[in-house]
Amino acid sequence: MTALNINARIAVIGAGAMGAGIAQVAAQAGHPVLLLDNRPGAAAQAIDGIDRQLGKRVEKGKLSAEARAATIARLQAVEAIEALADCELIIEAIVENLEAKRTLFRQLEGICGEQCILASNTSSLSITSIAAQLSHPQRLLGLHFFNPAPIMALVEIVSGLASDPRLAECLYDTAKAWGKKPVHTRSTPGFIVNRVARPFYAESLRLLQEGAADCPTLDSLMRDAGGFAMGAFELTDLIGHDVNYAVTCSVFDAYYADTRFLPSLIQKELVDAGRLGRKSGHGFYSYAEGAERPQPKHISSEQSIDTCVVEGSLGIAQPLITRLREQGVEIIQRDGQGLLRTGDAVLALSDGRMACQRAREDGLRNLILLDLAFDYGKASRIAISYTADIDPTALEQGVAVLQRAGLNVSPLSDSPALAVLRTVAMLANEAADALLQGVASAADIDLAMRAGVNYPQGPLAWGDAIGLSHLLKVLENLQASYGEERYRPSLALRRRVAEGRTFHDKS
Ligand code: NAI
């Protein structure tokens, strides 16, 4: 089935932030669009708002005055639901309440034609459940846009138990024709993005709770090493802690209290205190006038390093060696297990064990563990951890070699899998479980995380880049360290490792 014809009349119900944005997207694509809200005058106001937004784009030279006028001419505010009778697609973006949505769709069934596709923009309710009481549940699907809808590219096309696969294809093609990046997903709690993204917040919150590092240090590691646009604390301050905490609680409840989704007491306390983030002027950071953003911690060294010994390969961290060579450091290559030696210091990429444990088990004195970086060739910061009894000169030497490669060095307490590695390992593990459960394809999961929350790389592709055997080891070590099911590796990961395949390997 192909995309809806450009002349097909579309309706959007609910003229709030999402409904107005979706109406704008459909109208800009060329469809006649009706906008309805049960607050009198709200739909007309929303169209005025869209007009103002488009006006700003015209002023900036990003849109022609003709295109603005044509878009606005395609939008029509209506006050009665009966006006939607001849629409071919109706997208609901009303209040997030199951009964309200069910009632609305039942009412629509009595008004619109049999060919009309019904879609919900819900972000947390089950499509199966919304459709359950309809006479034709097969024509109801989820069409989940991200905020702000005109800007965010991702649209999750959500199929419930009864949804017609041909209609899912039609919505997929239609979203694509609207310039979006659609993905298919099954109606499971959190769909793709709101489920797979949970560890991004959860692992930073846990590290904070355990005193591994402070907020600015963890945030800067996620940005400067992890390649994420923002760290978890600045991002949740932006989203609003009430909203982010509610999503976590809803996913946690929906998965029957699986500890992978355990909400954070630290975040709950912020919500209890009314520190909701930017919108209330205070969250993890203060947004009061003149408030200064605290700086990330780093350590520096006065030592000078001219020679290093590399034993084996550092795996994904190998570009660090290129950076050192470029700085004129002499590299002596030997066989071995992936260690970088300089002076008395031994550096290695974390495998999920604490430094104290690995030093003892592998007989390595003065061990310094390196965190993951998205691109070791370009990162400007790296986290390290080390044993409490490290020789201070060896620590200085280890820090000096990383400095020489151009990195700021942020110390963490001796935590399993440090910060970026544990976060990415858990993102990849959650994505693997979603894959295992048939929630979406590997390609769609990765696309959803890149287009929906701007991750620098899809979590499954990232797992492939780290190496799935290493990823599995990291998770097993995390699970052993904490003794918690939260870190249990997904069967999908174990299976790929046993089969010698990657996540994106189709063979
Ligand atoms: P909102 O509160 O800004 O707007 C909802 C609008 O629906 C209001 O104008 C309200 O008057 C109207 N409304 C409520 N009940 C109605 C009814 N029975 N008939 C007609 N109009 C009705 O809400 P928002 O943020 O736009 O969210 C709408 C939907 O989109 C919810 O299901 C939400 O979960 C979902 N969503 C929200 C996102 C967000 O970031 N805000 C992102 C993705 C989905």
Side-chain angles (χ1 to χ4, degrees):
M1 201 166 177
T2 49
L4 286 175
N5 186 289
I6 205 68
N7 298 316
R9 193 186 282 257
I10 313 271
V12 179
I13 308 183
M18 291 309 293
I22 296 166
Q24 180 184 331
V25 169
Q28 277 183 313
H31 291 273
V33 179
L34 304 181
L35 187 57
L36 172 76
D37 197 287
N38 65 357
R39 272 186 301 126
Q45 267 174 24
I47 294 173
D48 287 346
I50 295 169
D51 193 28
R52 276 196 302 277
Q53 290 292 328
L54 296 181
K56 282 186 199 152
R57 300 201 63 210
V58 172
E59 277 167 27
K60 287 184 188 156
K62 290 184 173 169
L63 187 77
S64 71
E66 294 73 33
R68 171 193 183 182
T71 299
I72 295 303
R74 287 185 210 110
L75 284 160
Q76 188 189 342
V78 294
E79 293 289 325
I81 199 163
E82 290 72 21
L84 312 187
D86 61 351
C87 287
E88 291 182 42
L89 167 64
I90 301 181
I91 306 167
E92 164 278 311
I94 67 165
V95 60
E96 187 74 339
N97 175 289
L98 180 62
E99 267 325 303
K101 290 188 195 282
R102 280 180 163 174
T103 306
L104 177 66
F105 282 116
R106 273 200 305 269
Q107 204 183 349
L108 285 170
E109 273 204 314
I111 291 165
C112 56
E114 281 203 2
Q115 298 306 313
C116 177
I117 306 173
L118 303 177
S120 172
N121 185 50
T122 181
S123 47
S124 66
L125 300 172
S126 154
I127 294 301
T128 302
S129 180
I130 297 174
Q133 296 167 351
L134 296 183
S135 316
H136 301 289
Q138 68 276 9
R139 63 158 142 171
L140 189 127
L141 294 101
L143 195 59
H144 185 214
F145 287 82
F146 287 71
N147 194 9
I151 292 173
M152 297 301 290
L154 183 68
V155 181
E156 292 178 326
I157 312 291
V158 189
S159 290
L161 200 57
S163 302
D164 183 339
R166 285 171 311 155
L167 299 186
E169 283 310 323
C170 172
L171 290 185
Y172 182 95
D173 292 344
T174 302
K176 218 168 193 175
W178 294 358
K180 296 298 179 188
K181 291 184 175 162
V183 293
H184 285 293
T185 175
R186 280 202 305 118
S187 179
T188 49
F191 310 138
I192 302 173
V193 171
N194 280 336
R195 168 190 181 163
V196 175
R198 300 311 341 132
F200 182 76
Y201 314 107
E203 294 309 318
S204 279
L205 284 160
R206 176 166 248 202
L207 285 165
L208 182 69
Q209 191 167 23
E210 293 174 359
D214 59 13
C215 294
T217 304
L218 289 166
D219 274 349
S220 67
L221 284 168
M222 288 301 147
R223 273 187 273 108
D224 305 345
F228 292 94
M230 283 190 199
F233 306 111
E234 48 199 353
L235 181 55
T236 48
D237 267 8
L238 181 67
I239 294 169
H241 291 287
D242 48 346
V243 174
N244 187 260
Y245 179 71
V247 176
T248 302
C249 289
S250 118
V251 174
F252 176 68
D253 291 343
Y255 283 102
Y256 303 110
D258 187 330
T259 52
R260 282 231 271 255
F261 304 109
L262 191 71
S264 160
L265 282 174
I266 290 197
Q267 193 174 33
K268 179 176 186 299
E269 194 171 26
L270 286 184
V271 175
D272 290 346
R275 293 191 181 188
L276 304 181
R278 279 174 187 263
K279 62 185 171 189
S280 72
H282 207 155
F284 283 113
Y285 301 107
S286 169
Y287 299 91
E289 222 181 297
E292 276 185 28
R293 178 63 69 92
Q295 292 303 304
K297 301 229 173 8
H298 64 269
I299 44 176
S300 47
S301 164
E302 299 297 319
Q303 296 266 337
S304 90
I305 298 291
D306 301 314
T307 313
C308 292
V309 176
V310 180
E311 296 179 356
S313 162
L314 299 190
I316 193 175
Q318 192 64 20
L320 281 181
I321 306 304
T322 312
R323 283 174 80 160
L324 287 171
R325 275 210 182 92
E326 283 166 5
Q327 293 304 314
V329 176
E330 187 194 353
I331 305 290
I332 300 165
Q333 183 70 50
R334 290 193 193 133
D335 288 344
Q337 300 296 315
L339 300 176
L340 173 65
R341 291 183 189 270
T342 186
D344 292 329
V346 184
L347 292 87
L349 177 64
S350 168
D351 66 4
R353 283 179 288 175
M354 289 178 286
C356 55
Q357 184 191 359
R358 185 160 167 189
R360 183 168 37 80
E361 289 174 356
D362 295 3
L364 295 169
R365 281 206 62 230
N366 297 324
L367 177 65
I368 298 173
L369 294 179
L370 301 178
D371 198 3
L372 179 68
F374 167 56
D375 181 350
Y376 285 93
K378 295 205 178 103
S380 58
R381 182 180 299 276
I382 192 93
I384 59 165
S385 63
Y386 44 85
T387 54
D389 63 355
I390 193 166
D391 175 70
T393 309
L395 177 58
E396 285 236 352
Q397 290 164 333
V399 171
V401 77
L402 296 170
Q403 263 178 214
R404 190 79 196 265
L407 292 155
N408 281 312
V409 181
S410 290
L412 296 189
S413 70
D414 190 4
S415 311
L418 288 93
V420 180
L421 180 59
R422 91 154 56 184
T423 302
V424 172
M426 287 297 278
L427 289 170
N429 200 40
E430 199 52 55
D433 238 28
L435 185 65
L436 179 73
Q437 294 159 7
V439 171
S441 68
D444 276 0
I445 291 172
D446 275 359
L447 175 59
M449 303 314 289
R450 281 190 281 111
V453 270
N454 292 326
Y455 286 1
Q457 189 167 13
L460 295 169
W462 209 336
D464 287 344
I466 292 168
L468 296 192
S469 310
H470 191 76
L471 184 68
L472 178 59
K473 203 190 302 173
V474 168
L475 288 160
E476 285 174 339
N477 285 327
L478 268 165
Q479 188 183 16
S481 296
Y482 281 104
E484 284 179 43
E485 276 211 6
R486 172 190 178 99
Y487 295 103
R488 69 194 185 278
S490 167
L491 181 68
L493 173 58
R494 286 192 189 283
R495 192 181 282 155
R496 301 270 160 154
V497 171
E499 291 171 347
R501 293 167 62 213
T502 62
F503 284 126
H504 284 281
D505 184 357
K506 294 202 169 60
S507 60

